[in-house]
Amino acid sequence: MRKNFTLVSENKQRDRVLDAVKHEIRKYLRRERKRDVPAGSDHWEFDCRFGLTQESAETVPLDALIDKVGSAAAEGADTFYVEILARPAVKAVHERKNAADMDDAQEPEQAL
């Protein structure tokens, strides 16, 4: 998703438009997470950029994206740019190893 959002609408209050923008971003993320992950990958990761214009957009973490949208609206910005690109990823080795260790530790207990 690469999109310029506008918070100004003739027929809607600014807060309602802001809520609709946040909803659209969350809906896009839900839809992308439901897609099938390619072979060799575990999950989807998202590369996000945010800025008042496309040229000034900076990389932000996914969990800070909605906060950036809210803070830009609070500062009085009428438009802003959001870019979210999904990419397949594999969980880090230590995360998978810890999960496997916990599974192995639980198996003998279940046998008793």
Side-chain angles (χ1 to χ4, degrees), residues 70-84:
S71 64
E75 292 173 2
D78 290 335
T79 62
F80 54 87
Y81 174 78
V82 174
E83 179 178 318
I84 305 171

Side-chain angles (χ1 to χ4, degrees), residues 13-107:
Q13 294 178 357
R14 184 179 175 90
D15 292 338
R16 301 295 70 89
V17 175
L18 177 61
D19 289 342
V21 167
K22 290 179 181 180
H23 176 73
E24 185 176 341
I25 291 170
R26 290 181 181 121
K27 186 169 73 170
Y28 175 79
L29 292 171
R30 277 193 306 271
R31 187 172 50 239
E32 289 297 307
R33 285 184 178 125
K34 286 181 183 179
R35 286 189 4 205
D36 292 334
V37 181
S41 301
D42 296 322
H43 65 285
W44 293 105
E45 290 206 357
F46 298 94
D47 298 325
C48 305
R49 293 181 50 196
F50 177 84
L52 297 179
T53 64
Q54 184 174 0
E55 294 79 24
S56 68
E58 298 178 354
T59 303
V60 296
L62 178 62
D63 56 352
L65 182 62
I66 297 295
D67 294 334
K68 289 279 192 181
V69 169
S71 64
E75 292 173 2
D78 290 335
T79 62
F80 54 87
Y81 174 78
V82 174
E83 179 178 318
I84 305 171
L85 300 176
R87 63 179 165 84
V90 178
K91 289 184 182 175
V93 174
H94 69 277
E95 290 176 8
R96 288 187 291 166
K97 185 176 180 181
N98 289 341
D101 290 342
M102 294 181 86
D103 290 339
D104 292 340
Q106 291 175 358
E107 288 179 16

